Amino acid sequence: MRSLTLRQRIILPLILAGLVLFGIGVYFVRNLDDRQKSDAVQQEAEAMQKHIQSRLESKAEVMEAALRFIAQDRQLVLAMQSGDRRELLATGLPIYERLHRQHNITHLYFHDAHRINLLRVHKPEKFGDIIDRYTALGAEKNGALFSGIELGPLGTFTLRSVLPVFNDGKLAGYIELGQEVDELVQASHTLFHVELFMLVNKQYLVQSEWQAGMRMLGRPFDWNSLSSAVLVSQSLQVVPAEMFDQITASPPDVGIRIRRDIDLQGHRYWAGIIPVNDAGGRQIATLVMLRDMTHLYEHAQRDLFLFFGIFAATGLSILSLFYLILGRIEQELRVSRQKLMDEGAAREEMQSRFIGQLQKEQEKLRESEERFEKISASAQDAIISMDNEGNISFWNEAAVTILGYTQAEALGQNLHKLIAPPRFHEAHLRAFPAFRETGQGAALGKALELAAIRKGGAEFPVELALSSTLIAGKWHGIAVLRDISERKKAELEIQQALHIQRVLDSILNISLPPLTLKEVLLKSLDAVLSIPAFSFLNEGAVFLTVKDQKTLEMVAQRNLPDALLQSCAMLPFGRCLCGKAAATREIIFYDHLNDQHEISYEGIKPHGHYCIPIISEGRLLGVLNAYVAAGHASCESEKKFLRTVADTMALVIERKQSEEKLQKMAHHDPLTGLPNRALFQDRLDQGLALAQRHQEALAVLFLDLDHFKEVNDTLGHDMGDVLLRETASRLLSCVRKADTVARMGGDEFTVILTEMSIPDSAEQVAKSILEILLQPFDLNGTSCNIGCSIGIASYPLHGMDSETLLKHADTAMYHAKIKRNTYCYYSDEL
């Protein structure tokens, strides 16, 4: 050590210390860089996993809404419950085509309650197999909707949703929707700018089926390239088979794993290993994400060389300075050495701090740009930026999806000319100059419901939120646009349903007061024609089926011309539109007059028709006829609502018909159909009240048939019933419609004569009755003759109340019975 010069004793330790510090610095920098890379790959893998899961949940929500909408079709549910494949195909095929077109749905199944497939709408030739997929088993176990990913025999992944359908509390079967989701991997490859490999465990595949499927799809395949898995999807031609074997050989893991330093084709990758589970919770596949770290390694190498260069240059400069200083003033070395060491340490610290701050700022900038790109790309709403000239400067993926223009087509175009309807252009031109100068506007900071135009010219409703931002001294606009077509459609359907429900409630409430059937039908027709959800004209009619005839009778109408009232008063089944609706028991709709409209008249105006059969438990009660404007567009929801209205009217009609039938049974004789004693007493009381009010005469005739007992004894009671019915008919022919003929029981009848303007009116009626009853009766080929005895009591001469009049008429009848076949007025002598 003594042989070394002072310069050497100082410079050599400095060199050694510099090398040690450099090595430590390199170690910590590399270690920090590796941790940052690992965290970045971990976060990116987690983001990809969340992105794919979010897309799957979004698709599952769409399928769930579609399943619940399909399950509301009662006709389809009944077809599924009865196993009617033809009806299921006819009803389900349009639904599948619409779902496939709008939402890329690739599978639509109908299964019975035992999970036996009734129909594959997308492949109707295949059916009858038992469905034992996890989604179907989950729906059966939970009794509710169940969704999840299922692995197909070709190694493809299908998102499936299965909904159990119940009818009247009983399981009718299952409806299943499926959607191929393999494109999510390709979309993630594009979105995250990484290489992706999908490995499926061989234990869940059949080699022959998989190879045949890959051959059919025209994809390259090699079953033996990996030991325990097959590669079904790859974005990079070179496959790290050894690493994949290590991945698939390791036990299943629920978390994301990281693999470092994978060299492929001169690039260095880091891998994020993401497990993929199916609906049954099994890890059926592994998604391997390769992140190209080559540029990061190059940057790190470059930064390391820069650090080494700066360190070396600084060190050499210091050493040179020390060497010169020590050569000149070796005596002052001890004092200068400390000073130089302090200055060197300060300089190194400053350089380190500066480099650290620079790296942090660069990392923050990179993270900010990456965050904005990911947020805007994954947003469901369109995010659009407009520069100070009104031209589009930013256009995210959602804007491409919603408005149809690609970024290349949209960027640089005038925003309002491209997507705003022409009716809004004038308002924009007025407000835009003020926005350019101040960044202010009436529409800023609000959520507005407006209209936009897609590529192709289709207009649709949107919700628009506008804001302004100052960039480089100029005001720019930012718009967040959301397609609200489905929301508007749902609001309209809810409004229509509310209108229909109010009308149904109104029809049911109309039937509660004691109105006649005709009055109820007229008020119900008014309620139906006033439904704002339908474009009905204020014209229509209600027909009822004539009992035991294939004929319709018009019982209620609104604003129909007289010529039509006469032609349609009685309408045979099959004639004109209403008759055809009755004959076919199907809704008849035409939006114009044609040959099917058989009944016409001079001056008939163009119009359309809805003719809806009113049916209850398979029995045709009538037809509801509603006029619509010519050219009216019908739809299934409108027909469905009209069927509901007709069903409600069927309940009202049956109720009123039952009430009238019960009313008639309570007040009429079942044999002759004449009023019975109770109704006779009620009408007599009413007649007396009117006679007292108007000071008019009233008469009561009490009749008893002569020789009726002999007819019963000789010809039997059946012939006696025939005789009583014929007698009732003859009695009715002798009186006015305002008068009353009643059967009191047995062979006794009574007659009420009201509004008697001629004093001997009762006597004339009595003579007519005696004369007509003396004519022979034909009792099924047997002729017989009878007569009758009549007692007469009149108001006010023979009594002031009903009980007295009936008693006096009965007394007079018994006196007439002595002579037979005559009449007798009551007198006090009797």
Side-chain angles (χ1 to χ4, degrees), residues 399-588:
V400 176
T401 302
I402 294 174
L403 294 164
Y405 295 98
T406 64
Q407 290 183 349
E409 293 172 329
L411 293 177
Q413 298 291 324
N414 184 274
L415 175 63
H416 285 80
K417 289 182 180 180
L418 186 67
I419 67 172
R423 61 182 180 275
F424 298 139
H425 290 178
E426 184 178 352
H428 163 68
L429 292 175
R430 288 198 305 267
F432 190 66
F435 170 80
R436 294 183 63 186
E437 296 296 328
T438 66
Q440 300 295 320
L444 294 177
K446 302 176 182 177
L448 306 175
E449 290 191 2
L450 300 172
I453 297 178
R454 288 192 177 96
K455 183 179 181 180
E459 185 172 313
F460 66 103
V462 298
E463 184 179 80
L464 183 66
L466 297 173
S467 61
S468 61
T469 183
L470 192 62
I471 301 176
K474 294 184 178 181
W475 288 103
H476 292 237
I478 299 175
V480 179
L481 183 145
R482 175 176 296 173
D483 185 352
I484 58 173
S485 301
E486 292 299 323
R487 187 175 80 191
K488 287 295 183 182
K489 180 180 177 182
E491 289 175 357
L492 179 61
E493 290 178 352
I494 292 172
Q495 186 178 11
Q496 288 181 342
L498 288 175
H499 288 318
I500 293 298
Q501 189 59 47
R502 291 194 188 103
V503 170
L504 297 181
D505 293 342
S506 175
I507 292 174
L508 293 174
N509 291 331
I510 288 169
S511 66
L512 297 179
L515 302 176
T516 64
L517 177 58
K518 182 176 180 180
E519 292 172 333
V520 169
L521 291 178
L522 193 58
K523 289 180 178 292
S524 299
L525 179 61
D526 290 338
V528 173
L529 296 179
S530 66
I531 299 176
F534 301 147
S535 302
F536 288 148
L537 303 176
N538 192 25
E539 298 178 70
V542 179
F543 295 84
L544 292 184
T545 305
V546 179
K547 186 178 181 181
D548 299 329
Q549 297 183 27
K550 292 189 175 181
T551 305
L552 296 174
E553 178 184 5
M554 185 188 295
V555 295
Q557 62 87 21
R558 276 295 182 218
N559 303 320
L560 298 184
D562 294 338
L564 200 60
L565 295 179
Q566 296 176 3
S567 303
C568 297
M570 300 296 291
L571 197 63
F573 284 14
R575 178 169 169 75
C576 205
L577 300 182
C578 295
K580 288 179 172 59
T584 62
R585 301 194 176 194
E586 297 289 340
I587 293 180
I588 301 295

Side-chain angles (χ1 to χ4, degrees), residues 126-145:
K126 184 178 179 181
F127 63 95
D129 53 321
I130 297 179
I131 305 302
D132 55 359
R133 290 188 289 267
Y134 284 103
T135 48
L137 295 174
E140 180 184 56
K141 179 180 179 181
N142 299 330
L145 182 102

Side-chain angles (χ1 to χ4, degrees), residues 783-796:
S783 178
C784 70
N785 296 85
I786 63 170
C788 76
S789 301
I790 305 174
I792 305 173
S794 63
Y795 166 84

Side-chain angles (χ1 to χ4, degrees), residues 83 144 163 202 207 226 240 429 537 573 593 664 713 726 753 773 801:
L163 177 68
K202 288 183 178 180
Q207 180 179 358
L226 301 176
L429 292 175
L537 303 176
F573 284 14
L593 298 174
K664 185 172 182 180
D713 293 342
E726 179 62 25
L753 303 176
L773 292 183
D801 59 80

